[in-house]
Amino acid sequence: MNRSNIHLLDLPDEILLIILKKLNNIDVLYSLFDINNERLDILGREITFTDILKFVSIDNIPIIDRFCIDILPRINHNVKCFAFDPVFMERILLATDYPNLTKLTIIHFQKAIALKYFTDESSLRSIFQEQITNLILISDDENEMECLPNIYAEDVYAHILIFFKNLKKLSFVKSSVVLDSRLPFHYSPSTTFSSPILTHLYINVETLDDCFYLLDGRLKKLTTLCVNVHHMDTFSGFDHNMNKKLLNLKYFALKSSYAFQKYDIIVLLLRRMSNLEKLTLNISMEGRNSIIDGSYVQHDILDHMPQLRSFTFYICTYIGPITLPYKLSSEDIQQTLTNIGQQHVSSIVNYFTGCVNSDFGIGVACSMFSLPFEFDYLQDLGNRFPNIVFSYVTYLVIRDIIPFEHEFFMRIARLFPLLKHLCIRNKKSQGLDGLMTFSSDNCQLHSVIQYPHLTILDVKFSHIDYAEQFLNETKTFIPCLTELGVPCVADLKAVTKDFTREETRRNCANVKKISSIAPVVYSKDLCLYFPSLYK
């Protein structure tokens, strides 16, 4: 059969829709409307194709103009969800009526947006108060939160629950894994940040106390709570009814980036959730004489949740240099998980030099996790880890007591395909391999590794070899690198051969920020070698 004359429009509608749904629907809508083809015009109005519209990363005003004037009024009944930057919010929402709109995602949200639009005088008041049941705020307002966190919590977060009359789902999301925005609630009375109808809450809080206060009854209908806690060990225990059952809660997610010691408090909290159907834990413990393995998890948590259907977890235990009585293996930990019926799991045991429980020496990080690994942050990975693709991880911290060689970084690039932030903690030299390439730019020992998404590289607490490993384009290519952390500028001068080396120039071209242990002196040669520092 001769297929050379088959065109896109020769395909049936079902196939065309499948193809169009693989594309950005904003681009497709902009292209399909008003091209004098009735069939494509009908397909463009397809409800499953126009119910969620994401005006993200658009700085072209004519595109917004055309949508507001020509396109949105013709598909307005289909629209259920908008995602946009606040700069376009008012224009888009007032372009026409959206009778089925219930969900909004506001990107780059800041306090000023709430003060301007979440008021009774706002032109958007009726939409916000009468229609919106699901609100997602992606915030980059970290400086404002840090200056007056209590006022921010009351003026923005608590006010939202009062202003949005029909709000049932509320999410406060950080714009980056690196940002550390969180809010305190433990100073607030139970009438603050309260709602009789809110069912889903996703939020970052300051302390473990804040988590308990959110569960003190101020959110009566809450069925889902996903909370990131910054200071897990900051817990007063005052005014908390540790015996009150949380019978409405069906899904609970607890995440924290820092190791803590109050494991027993977490166990008491989880035991109050006897009707839980879904549980997500991303926690790390220290200050213990034994590791948290599958046996502990079963006895302490799972035995008290008879309705549990889904358990997603990353649980890590840090053991200090004196405490460790025997050599651990990942197989031992994984066996305890298999024994309790957790089949899709893996584990890692990593030895490192550092401070654990106030003791400096060789410690061990013992981690176990469900598969697939669903978290965006992973820390203290070492040379030995399972051959698993970590599809969601964008922020990775690695450290070990033996060097990381070129082949290790090849594995990292392959198994962490979306990596954006890499932090290396290793004082050991790469040895002969690193020295040979340092001395001769023409010595190509390995294939070039590519990290297409890496924007932040931190080697401040590592041997100079790792700066060489990543900045030398004969070893590694990192085209999107914008932030670089090094031990000191002297190390940077050595790797770049006093800011003259061609092999490191390309990986440095887009760096906009340099940090080090000592203050960075921006010399003329450094600025010329890193031209994006000017921007």
Side-chain angles (χ1 to χ4, degrees):
M1 181 183 294
N2 185 359
R3 300 179 180 270
S4 60
N5 293 324
I6 294 179
H7 301 286
L8 184 66
L9 293 178
D10 295 327
L11 298 172
D13 288 354
E14 293 79 3
I15 302 299
L16 270 177
L17 274 176
I18 292 173
I19 295 173
L20 293 177
K21 288 176 182 178
K22 299 290 185 182
L23 306 174
N24 183 305
N25 61 346
I26 296 297
D27 293 336
V28 174
L29 288 170
Y30 187 79
S31 302
L32 288 187
F33 271 79
D34 295 330
I35 61 171
N36 296 321
N37 187 295
E38 183 179 358
R39 184 183 173 212
L40 289 179
D41 189 72
I42 294 173
L43 287 175
R45 298 169 188 260
E46 171 70 30
I47 188 168
T48 58
F49 187 65
T50 56
D51 58 346
I52 301 175
L53 298 180
K54 298 180 180 180
F55 294 91
V56 180
S57 301
I58 297 178
D59 55 6
N60 191 322
I61 300 301
I63 291 179
I64 300 297
D65 288 343
R66 183 164 175 234
F67 264 93
C68 291
I69 296 170
D70 296 331
I71 301 176
L72 291 176
R74 294 155 70 180
I75 60 172
N76 60 327
H77 283 77
N78 294 350
V79 179
K80 298 178 181 178
C81 171
F82 274 125
F84 40 48
D85 189 288
V87 69
F88 298 128
M89 179 170 66
E90 187 171 22
R91 177 95 190 274
I92 291 172
L93 291 180
L94 296 180
T96 185
D97 293 329
Y98 305 98
N100 296 308
L101 177 65
T102 59
K103 181 179 178 180
L104 290 181
T105 298
I106 303 177
I107 302 163
H108 304 305
F109 176 80
Q110 295 183 344
K111 181 179 179 179
I113 303 303
L115 296 178
K116 181 177 181 180
Y117 291 109
F118 300 167
T119 68
D120 290 337
E121 293 74 31
S122 169
S123 58
L124 305 176
R125 180 188 58 80
S126 61
I127 296 176
F128 291 156
Q129 291 192 338
E130 298 171 15
Q131 291 187 230
I132 302 305
T133 61
N134 189 344
L135 180 64
I136 300 174
L137 303 176
I138 302 177
S139 173
D140 58 5
D141 212 4
E142 186 177 16
N143 291 334
E144 185 78 28
M145 291 183 189
E146 288 182 348
C147 292
L148 296 167
N150 296 318
I151 294 177
Y152 194 102
E154 186 168 346
D155 289 353
V156 179
Y157 286 16
H159 175 68
I160 285 173
L161 289 185
I162 297 172
F163 182 71
F164 286 76
K165 303 294 186 182
N166 295 307
L167 197 62
K168 294 183 178 180
K169 297 182 180 181
L170 178 59
S171 304
F172 299 104
V173 184
K174 296 182 292 183
S175 61
S176 166
V177 178
V178 183
L179 290 180
D180 195 21
S181 54
R182 69 269 180 185
L183 292 174
F185 291 99
H186 53 279
Y187 297 113
S188 304
S190 59
T191 54
T192 302
F193 199 76
S194 63
S195 169
I197 63 171
L198 194 74
T199 59
H200 294 65
L201 177 62
Y202 303 79
I203 195 168
N204 306 312
V205 299
E206 178 72 19
T207 71
L208 188 55
D209 273 316
D210 296 320
C211 180
F212 276 80
Y213 279 115
L214 290 174
L215 293 168
D216 66 1
R218 67 182 69 201
L219 303 171
K220 302 182 187 302
K221 298 291 186 180
L222 197 66
T223 61
T224 295
L225 176 61
C226 298
V227 58
N228 285 288
V229 181
H230 185 70
H231 294 298
M232 290 287 286
D233 278 327
T234 303
F235 180 73
S236 67
F238 298 137
D239 301 324
H240 298 314
N241 186 346
M242 304 297 287
N243 297 315
K244 182 181 179 181
K245 295 294 184 180
L246 301 167
L247 300 179
N248 287 337
L249 211 58
K250 303 298 183 184
Y251 174 37
F252 180 64
L254 175 65
K255 303 177 186 178
S256 183
S257 300
Y258 301 101
F260 62 94
Q261 299 185 17
K262 296 191 180 297
Y263 170 74
D264 293 338
I265 301 298
I266 299 303
V267 170
L268 290 176
L269 175 62
L270 294 175
R271 287 183 180 180
R272 296 167 58 191
M273 306 174 184
S274 56
N275 289 337
L276 215 61
E277 298 175 359
K278 183 178 180 181
L279 174 63
T280 297
L281 293 177
N282 186 344
I283 54 177
S284 301
M285 277 75 62
E286 60 182 5
R288 298 179 54 86
N289 295 324
S290 59
I291 66 169
I292 303 297
D293 60 14
S295 301
Y296 276 95
V297 169
Q298 183 68 44
H299 176 268
D300 294 340
I301 301 172
L302 302 184
D303 282 347
H304 303 269
M305 296 179 176
Q307 308 299 323
L308 197 66
R309 301 291 179 265
S310 173
F311 183 33
T312 302
F313 62 93
Y314 171 83
I315 300 174
C316 182
T317 311
Y318 290 93
I319 302 293
I322 299 175
T323 310
L324 197 61
Y326 57 92
K327 190 170 181 65
L328 293 165
S329 72
S330 60
E331 290 76 15
D332 294 335
I333 300 174
Q334 192 156 340
Q335 184 59 48
T336 66
L337 291 164
T338 304
N339 291 342
I340 65 172
Q342 299 289 330
Q343 302 298 326
H344 300 290
V345 294
S346 190
S347 57
I348 301 172
V349 174
N350 180 38
Y351 291 83
F352 59 87
T353 301
C355 187
V356 180
N357 306 336
S358 301
D359 294 319
F360 187 84
I362 296 179
V364 59
C366 309
S367 59
M368 56 185 186
F369 48 90
S370 56
L371 296 176
F373 192 89
E374 296 185 8
F375 305 103
D376 57 6
Y377 176 78
L378 179 60
Q379 62 182 348
D380 293 326
L381 191 76
N383 274 284
R384 298 184 61 186
F385 66 95
N387 196 39
I388 297 168
V389 178
F390 295 82
S391 300
Y392 296 96
V393 174
T394 59
Y395 189 165
L396 176 65
V397 180
I398 58 174
R399 62 173 171 170
D400 207 325
I401 58 176
I402 60 176
F404 296 126
E405 302 295 353
H406 189 85
E407 290 74 15
F408 169 79
F409 291 112
M410 290 181 66
R411 287 191 71 204
I412 293 294
R414 186 177 77 255
L415 299 180
F416 294 82
L418 297 181
L419 194 60
K420 296 180 180 180
H421 187 151
L422 177 61
C423 182
I424 304 173
R425 301 284 186 263
N426 198 319
K427 292 291 187 179
K428 295 289 186 179
S429 169
Q430 289 183 302
L432 182 62
D433 178 34
L435 292 173
M436 288 180 65
T437 312
F438 232 135
S439 61
S440 174
D441 291 331
N442 297 320
C443 182
Q444 184 70 51
L445 297 178
H446 305 287
S447 59
V448 178
I449 311 170
Q450 295 196 33
Y451 288 85
H453 306 289
L454 193 68
T455 58
I456 302 175
L457 174 66
D458 182 358
V459 294
K460 287 198 291 288
F461 300 97
S462 297
H463 194 277
I464 189 175
D465 284 356
Y466 300 104
E468 158 71 17
Q469 168 74 49
F470 276 83
L471 295 184
N472 184 349
E473 68 174 10
T474 68
K475 293 182 176 182
T476 310
F477 181 46
I478 39 178
C480 297
L481 186 68
T482 58
E483 295 186 29
L484 174 63
V486 292
C488 61
V489 175
D491 288 329
L492 196 54
K493 291 178 68 175
V495 171
T496 61
K497 295 186 177 178
D498 211 9
F499 306 122
T500 63
R501 189 180 184 190
E502 288 303 316
E503 285 73 19
T504 53
R505 190 179 297 276
R506 188 161 62 143
N507 283 335
C508 297
N510 297 316
V511 173
K512 299 177 181 179
K513 180 181 179 181
I514 296 175
S515 60
S516 72
I517 300 173
V520 177
V521 178
Y522 289 90
S523 66
K524 179 181 178 181
D525 289 340
L526 182 145
C527 292
L528 288 174
Y529 200 79
F530 291 86
S532 294
L533 289 175
Y534 287 111
K535 299 177 181 178

